[in-house]
């Protein structure tokens, strides 16, 4: 069983991992990830998208990979 990212701080670590590919230091990536995770607009949008998907509805985000996959393959990923 993997212990990374930690279950109690998973979202921030996942965001920081992606940012870390594009910035010079892990510290900066973590700082940016912290700000994103704490942004209430971002959190509300994640919740809205998750709620739509949970009931099998398209979320309406044109960049949503899940909705694109369903449209193309007819199979929920
Ligand atoms: Zn979607």
């Amino acid at each position: 069983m993997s212990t990374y990212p930690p279950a109690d701080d998973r979202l921030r670590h996942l965001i920081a991992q992606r940012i870390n590919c594009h910035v010079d230091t892990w510290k900066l990536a973590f700082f940016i990830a912290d700000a994103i995770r704490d942004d209430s607009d971002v959190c509300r949008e994640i919740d809205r998208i998750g709620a739509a998907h949970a009931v099998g509805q398209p979320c309406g985000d044109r960049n949503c990979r899940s909705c694109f996959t369903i449209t193309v393959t007819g199979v929920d990923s």
Side-chain angles (χ1 to χ4, degrees):
M1 184 173 151
S2 176
T3 58
Y4 188 86
D8 63 348
D9 200 16
R10 185 173 163 80
L11 181 58
R12 182 168 62 147
H13 280 263
L14 292 174
I15 294 169
Q17 283 178 17
R18 297 302 304 166
I19 294 170
N20 196 40
C21 300
H22 307 285
V23 297
D24 290 336
T25 66
W26 173 251
K27 185 176 180 180
L28 177 58
F30 221 67
F31 178 80
I32 296 168
D34 214 19
I36 292 170
R37 190 226 26 217
D38 287 345
D39 187 288
S40 58
D41 289 337
V42 171
C43 291
R44 273 194 296 275
E45 183 63 358
I46 291 171
D47 289 345
R48 186 194 67 75
I49 290 170
H53 292 169
V55 295
Q57 295 296 312
C59 64
D61 187 313
R62 67 180 171 180
N63 298 304
C64 178
R65 188 174 295 179
S66 295
C67 290
F68 177 79
T69 301
I70 292 170
T71 301
V72 171
T73 66
V75 178
D76 193 354
S77 57

